[in-house]
Amino acid sequence: MTLRCIPYNSQMANEWDKLVGQARNSTFINQRPYLDYHSDRFDDASLVFIDKKDHITALLPANYNTTTHTAYSHQGLTYAGLILSHNIRTEQIGEAIGAAIQHYRQMGAQRLVYKPAPYIYNKYPADEPLYFLSRHGARLTARSLSQAIYLPQAIQMNTLRHRKVNKSINAGNHVCEEHDTTQFWHILDHTLQTRHNVHPVHTIAELQLLMQRFPKQIRLFTTKDNTGETLAGTIVFDCGQVVHTQYLAASDKGRQVGALDQAIEHIMTNIYPDRTYLDFGVSTEDGGKILNSGLTFQKETFGARGVCYDTWELNLLAET
């Protein structure tokens, strides 16, 4: 063994975040200030992997659910697979996966649920963990579908989107950045309750906290009319080469005038024109078993095409 595996503790926070900033397959949501904002909901079971020279070379954001006897990577994140330094070797990644499996077994875990980052978020190829997980018997158990725009060669928006953008502009609406999420959150909450009978994953207080911790990475852009009324908006997670629209919503009035279309076109053209992908997020439900065709079509009309968000599971009770 060339690596040793130890549980994360808060004294390692700076070193953890340093590697996250330098890794080939990480984004800011893997940093401790993001992971720890909902620490009251999840029992942290993150792991740190250290080589023979005492260098941290890999990380695994994770939590453990004692009720289901399951280790997750990580329930509070959209994706959170093994975070890899650029220098870690393939054999060492295999050691890290094996050490993680052994650690969670010793904790009493019966399952490991693993959610790797979609490939568009990786700064450099990083599929080695999936190879080793499959060798241990892991299986792909869920596949959700997102739609993303490849911005350097974006497929042109269709005529419907252009008409809606122009309609909103001609109505005198304008897009601006806001720092108070209250008005937008209520529009979002109404939309989600009306259409899906759910509330946003984040509360107003949580969004404000995260925006304070990550003012450059988490931003709110809204479309307002000439009276200052908020008509639509999107909360954007800036993940480097990928810009992810975490939330999208419009009021009834906003939908009529194309206010959300104007906001999306604005961030593509004026705020993040130098990025590689604009990821709209998943358009599926129930682990990918149900496709929301209307939502998929809406994203496709902006020029977005499919990207998979996968979930792997490993039975830790089986011999591997």
Side-chain angles (χ1 to χ4, degrees):
M1 290 285 289
T2 63
L3 295 180
R4 69 181 192 274
C5 165
I6 61 173
Y8 166 81
N9 66 68
S10 59
Q11 294 180 343
M12 303 175 183
N14 290 337
E15 293 177 276
W16 176 289
D17 288 345
K18 182 179 178 180
L19 181 57
V20 168
Q22 299 172 347
R24 50 173 145 137
N25 62 333
S26 61
T27 69
F28 79 93
I29 72 168
N30 302 129
Q31 292 182 3
R32 295 315 307 192
Y34 194 99
L35 278 164
D36 295 340
Y37 91 90
H38 46 28
S39 58
D40 59 323
R41 278 187 252 165
F42 303 107
D43 292 329
D44 193 84
S46 300
L47 298 177
V48 175
F49 302 89
I50 301 173
D51 65 18
K52 288 185 175 180
K53 296 182 179 180
D54 289 331
H55 296 149
I56 295 176
T57 190
L59 308 166
L60 183 59
N63 70 284
Y64 182 61
N65 188 312
T66 55
T67 302
T68 61
H69 303 288
T70 303
Y72 295 88
S73 75
H74 178 298
Q75 276 184 292
L77 300 179
T78 308
Y79 50 84
L82 192 66
I83 296 170
L84 306 171
S85 71
H86 284 274
N87 295 326
I88 188 171
R89 302 193 317 275
T90 299
E91 293 85 355
Q92 291 176 311
I93 297 171
E95 290 180 11
I97 291 294
I101 290 171
Q102 183 64 21
H103 176 85
Y104 293 131
R105 277 181 175 153
Q106 290 174 351
M107 286 181 62
Q110 300 174 6
R111 287 192 310 153
L112 171 63
V113 176
Y114 186 93
K115 299 182 296 183
Y119 76 93
I120 61 174
Y121 288 86
N122 294 341
K123 304 178 188 73
Y124 209 78
D127 278 349
E128 297 96 334
L130 297 182
Y131 166 74
F132 287 107
L133 280 167
S134 66
R135 280 182 48 172
H136 282 280
R139 295 289 181 265
L140 179 67
T141 56
R143 170 162 277 173
S144 299
L145 186 66
S146 175
Q147 284 78 36
I149 300 173
Y150 180 58
L151 293 172
Q153 298 179 19
I155 298 172
Q156 189 174 16
M157 288 192 300
N158 73 3
T159 55
L160 171 63
R161 291 296 147 219
H162 281 296
R163 286 201 302 269
K164 285 185 171 292
V165 171
N166 291 332
K167 182 177 182 180
S168 185
I169 293 173
N170 292 335
N173 302 327
H174 63 281
V175 180
C176 62
E177 183 172 5
E178 286 195 76
H179 301 286
D180 185 348
T181 62
T182 305
Q183 290 187 45
F184 171 75
W185 190 92
H186 286 296
I187 293 173
L188 174 66
D189 187 52
H190 175 74
T191 301
L192 291 176
Q193 283 197 67
T194 302
R195 297 188 174 188
H196 306 289
N197 195 32
V198 297
H199 295 285
V201 173
H202 300 92
T203 65
I204 295 175
E206 287 174 336
L207 282 175
Q208 292 295 157
L209 174 64
L210 289 172
M211 290 177 70
Q212 290 170 6
R213 290 185 178 184
F214 298 96
K216 295 181 179 179
Q217 291 89 358
I218 303 177
R219 302 169 69 183
L220 168 61
F221 297 93
T222 60
T223 303
K224 295 180 177 293
D225 65 15
N226 52 20
T227 70
E229 179 184 350
T230 299
L231 304 176
T234 176
I235 291 181
V236 174
F237 279 26
D238 182 354
C239 298
Q241 66 192 33
V242 181
V243 177
H244 171 59
T245 54
Q246 178 72 16
Y247 291 114
L248 293 160
S251 66
D252 293 337
K253 180 179 177 181
R255 280 191 289 273
Q256 293 173 5
V257 299
L260 184 56
D261 303 82
Q262 184 183 0
I264 294 171
E265 194 275 339
H266 179 81
I267 65 172
M268 288 173 55
T269 304
N270 300 305
I271 308 299
Y272 301 108
D274 59 335
R275 304 311 169 86
T276 307
Y277 292 98
L278 173 64
D279 181 12
F280 284 110
V282 298
S283 303
T284 52
E285 303 168 21
D286 192 18
K289 296 177 182 177
I290 301 172
L291 176 68
N292 187 325
S293 299
L295 187 57
T296 299
F297 173 76
Q298 180 186 26
K299 296 171 182 178
E300 288 177 336
T301 58
F302 281 101
R305 295 297 184 266
V307 174
C308 287
Y309 280 61
D310 291 343
T311 300
W312 292 68
E313 291 192 20
L314 176 62
N315 179 3
L316 296 180
L317 297 179
E319 292 294 331
T320 58

